[in-house]
């Protein structure tokens, strides 16, 4: 289906309007979004993506509609995985909870701009060089393998090369000034750590794009579908972060599910490359008669793997134990932040007590594991001491 210039412009204006709406009505005043606010707006953005997909299905046909939904679901799943890294980055920079919305929205905006550039670059390469499908397939297979390796927070710290360069050449303060990018220190205007956080998010987004763009090109080569599926998967990511913040650590099998999906799409790309082959040293430059994977089958596999992955994670005792432990660690770290707002700290302390209560209801083998974690025990002890010393109210 050919997409007219008018439809392209209307789509870009609509997506740009949604972003501007977020900037002017949601993050203009720093605040911690409630669960209800996050749920309502997450549902609104997902609903908008589904309605758009139905429109594509009606006006573009079932194949085009299936390609959109396969791309959207895949990119959304990868975006949820990205939230883990955003969480680590903001924790390492100790971003105040109320200011995290602005950081996330900047990340979404930068990701949308960067990935749009990658999309058109990828499309140009595919149109010019058929062997690019082999390259994209290899990238996805390697990424799938990397997802199966154990990850640490250190591997996703905020100190990437862009941050190190920013620290070296830019004068920054040690403390935040709300969500401002600049502040005054000793009569001089300097940059705040908020800029470094945004630089870290931007650098991470560029790395994510190297995985996500080949993944969606493995499902469709229609640039309009690639762009809209990517854009709608990013819109609402900020609200989704606050909605599933407490469940992120519970999804312990998500990496395995994403690895399976990326490996599946990687194989699909290689098969397509063989079918369109013109590389001289493969079958003398002639197409190879191989079976190609249909879009309908791709959509079924992607949704099926994600459903199994999420259900397995949610019913897993290990997942629940890890979720409680990570939440307690996160709340304790927040309490030890000297810039923690008193009202926010009071809410954090209540949450910490609730997590510790739930920890004591876990099977003995998990409780023993936590008691043997000296760093966690010391962190919780210091958090309680800090609360007793600074935040107890009579």
């Amino acid at each position: 289906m050919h997409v007219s210039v008018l439809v392209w412009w209307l789509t870009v204006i609509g997506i740009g309007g949604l972003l501007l709406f977020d900037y002017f009505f949601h993050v203009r005043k720093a605040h911690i979004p409630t669960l209800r606010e996050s749920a309502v707006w997450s549902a609104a953005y997902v609903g908008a993506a589904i309605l758009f997909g139905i429109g594509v299905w009606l006006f573009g046909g079932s194949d085009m509609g299936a390609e959109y939904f396969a791309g959207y679901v895949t990119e959304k799943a990868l975006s949820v995985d990205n939230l883990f890294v955003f969480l680590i980055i903001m924790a390492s920079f100790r971003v105040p909870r109320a200011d995290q919305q602005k950081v996330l929205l900047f990340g979404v905006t930068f990701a949308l701009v960067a990935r749009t550039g990658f999309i058109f670059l990828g499309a140009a390469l595919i149109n010019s060089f058929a062997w690019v499908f082999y390259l994209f397939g290899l990238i996805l297979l390697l990424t799938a393998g990397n997802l199966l390796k154990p990850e640490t927070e250190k591997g996703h710290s905020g100190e990437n090369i862009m941050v190190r360069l920013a620290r070296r050449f830019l004068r920054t303060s040690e403390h935040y000034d709300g969500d401002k990018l600049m502040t005054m220190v000793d009569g001089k205007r300097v940059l705040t750590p908020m800029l470094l956080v945004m630089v870290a998010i931007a650098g991470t987004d560029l790395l994510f794009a190297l995985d996500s763009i080949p993944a969606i090109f493995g499902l469709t080569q229609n640039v309009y579908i690639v762009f809209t599926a990517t854009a709608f998967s990013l819109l609402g990511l900020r609200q989704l972060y606050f909605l599933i913040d407490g469940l992120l650590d519970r999804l312990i099998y998500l990496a395995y599910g994403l690895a399976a999906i990326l490996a599946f799409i990687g194989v699909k790309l290689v098969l397509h490359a063989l079918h369109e082959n013109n590389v001289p040293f493969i079958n003398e430059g002639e197409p190879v008669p191989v079976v190609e994977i249909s879009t309908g089958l791709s959509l079924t596999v992607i949704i099926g793997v994600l459903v199994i992955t999420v259900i397995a994670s949610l019913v897993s005792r290990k997942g629940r134990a890890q979720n409680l432990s990570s939440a307690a660690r996160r709340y304790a770290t927040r309490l030890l932040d000297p810039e923690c707002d008193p009202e926010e700290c009071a809410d954090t302390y209540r949450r910490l007590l609730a997590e510790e209560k739930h920890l004591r209801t876990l099977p003995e083998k998990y409780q023993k594991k936590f008691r043997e974690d000296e760093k966690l025990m010391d962190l919780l002890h210091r958090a309680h001491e800090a609360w007793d010393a600074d935040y107890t109210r009579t």
Side-chain angles (χ1 to χ4, degrees):
M1 172 185 169
H2 173 71
V3 180
S4 67
V5 175
L6 177 61
V7 172
W8 264 104
W9 274 111
L10 290 175
T11 303
V12 171
I13 291 172
I15 291 171
L18 289 174
L19 275 177
L20 289 176
F21 178 82
D22 257 358
Y23 273 104
F24 286 102
F25 293 97
H26 284 163
V27 302
R28 195 170 186 177
K29 182 179 180 181
H31 70 285
I32 303 175
T34 64
L35 185 63
R36 182 178 182 276
E37 177 186 344
S38 300
V40 168
W41 285 108
S42 292
Y45 278 108
V46 171
I50 292 174
L51 287 176
F52 183 86
I54 293 173
V56 170
W57 197 296
L58 292 175
F59 293 100
S62 58
D63 288 342
M64 196 171 177
E67 288 177 356
Y68 168 82
F69 280 112
Y72 172 75
V73 172
T74 300
E75 292 296 302
K76 198 68 173 179
L78 289 170
S79 296
V80 171
D81 191 47
N82 297 352
L83 291 180
F84 284 97
V85 185
F86 291 164
L87 179 66
I88 293 170
I89 290 175
M90 288 192 283
S92 67
F93 279 100
R94 294 186 176 181
V95 181
R97 184 76 167 168
D99 298 325
Q100 291 180 2
Q101 287 200 90
K102 190 170 186 178
V103 175
L104 287 167
L105 188 54
F106 168 81
V108 168
T109 305
F110 182 86
L112 185 54
V113 173
R115 294 184 194 196
T116 298
F118 278 115
I119 287 169
F120 285 102
L121 175 62
L125 289 173
I126 287 172
N127 290 331
S128 302
F129 310 102
W131 55 261
V132 170
F133 287 111
Y134 288 113
L135 177 62
F136 281 3
L138 179 60
I139 289 174
L140 293 183
L141 291 173
L142 291 175
T143 302
N146 288 330
L147 283 174
L148 298 177
K149 296 179 181 178
E151 289 190 348
T152 62
E153 292 192 5
K154 186 177 180 180
H156 288 303
S157 69
E159 292 294 331
N160 58 40
I161 186 171
M162 293 179 67
V163 174
R164 289 195 292 271
L165 288 173
R167 286 190 187 277
R168 181 175 180 181
F169 295 105
L170 301 176
R171 179 183 173 85
T172 59
S173 65
E174 294 295 325
H175 305 287
Y176 290 93
D177 184 6
D179 60 0
K180 296 179 181 177
L181 297 181
M182 303 191 73
T183 188
M184 298 295 292
V185 175
D186 298 328
K188 296 182 179 179
R189 187 174 293 276
V190 297
L191 299 168
T192 70
M194 183 65 71
L195 177 70
L196 297 180
V197 180
M198 292 184 173
V199 169
I201 294 289
T204 306
D205 276 332
L206 288 176
L207 295 177
F208 288 151
L210 297 178
D211 298 334
S212 66
I213 297 306
I216 194 168
F217 268 117
L219 298 168
T220 177
Q221 285 80 59
N222 186 312
V223 178
Y224 182 77
I225 295 299
V226 172
F227 171 74
T228 53
T230 301
F232 276 106
S233 72
L234 291 171
L235 292 173
L237 194 60
R238 172 184 63 81
Q239 294 88 343
L240 185 64
Y241 172 88
F242 288 96
L243 178 63
I244 67 173
D245 184 11
L247 286 176
L248 281 175
D249 296 300
R250 184 96 184 241
L251 301 176
I252 59 173
Y253 299 123
L254 180 61
Y256 297 101
L258 290 177
I261 290 172
L262 292 181
F264 173 80
I265 298 175
V267 171
K268 184 177 187 296
L269 270 171
V270 172
L271 290 175
H272 181 71
L274 289 170
H275 190 267
E276 302 291 330
N277 179 64
N278 60 7
V279 178
F281 56 84
I282 298 178
N283 197 35
E284 299 181 349
E286 295 296 323
V288 181
V290 294
V291 176
E292 288 206 80
I293 300 173
S294 68
T295 303
L297 177 60
S298 299
L299 180 59
T300 302
V301 169
I302 291 167
I303 293 178
V305 169
L306 286 177
V307 169
I308 293 172
T309 298
V310 172
I311 292 176
S313 296
L314 294 179
V315 301
S316 167
R317 286 188 175 183
K318 180 181 178 182
R320 181 168 181 264
Q322 180 172 304
N323 179 238
L324 293 172
S325 173
S326 298
R329 192 188 306 273
R330 190 161 61 249
Y331 295 145
T333 301
R334 197 177 300 165
L335 281 171
L336 292 172
D337 186 351
E339 296 186 6
C340 183
D341 178 80
E343 183 178 345
E344 180 185 347
C345 276
D347 179 64
T348 299
Y349 186 68
R350 286 192 294 269
R351 291 171 181 262
L352 176 61
L353 292 178
E355 297 301 325
E356 290 179 321
K357 181 179 179 181
H358 289 312
L359 281 171
R360 289 191 288 271
T361 66
L362 292 173
E364 177 58 28
K365 66 175 183 178
Y366 294 117
Q367 293 192 46
K368 182 180 179 182
K369 183 178 179 181
F370 297 138
R371 289 194 296 266
E372 293 174 349
D373 188 340
E374 295 181 1
K375 289 185 177 180
L376 176 59
M377 292 297 102
D378 177 65
L379 181 65
L380 295 175
H381 179 70
R382 289 189 290 116
H384 282 286
E385 283 188 338
W387 172 261
D388 292 337
D390 300 326
Y391 297 104
T392 300
R393 299 290 183 265
T394 57

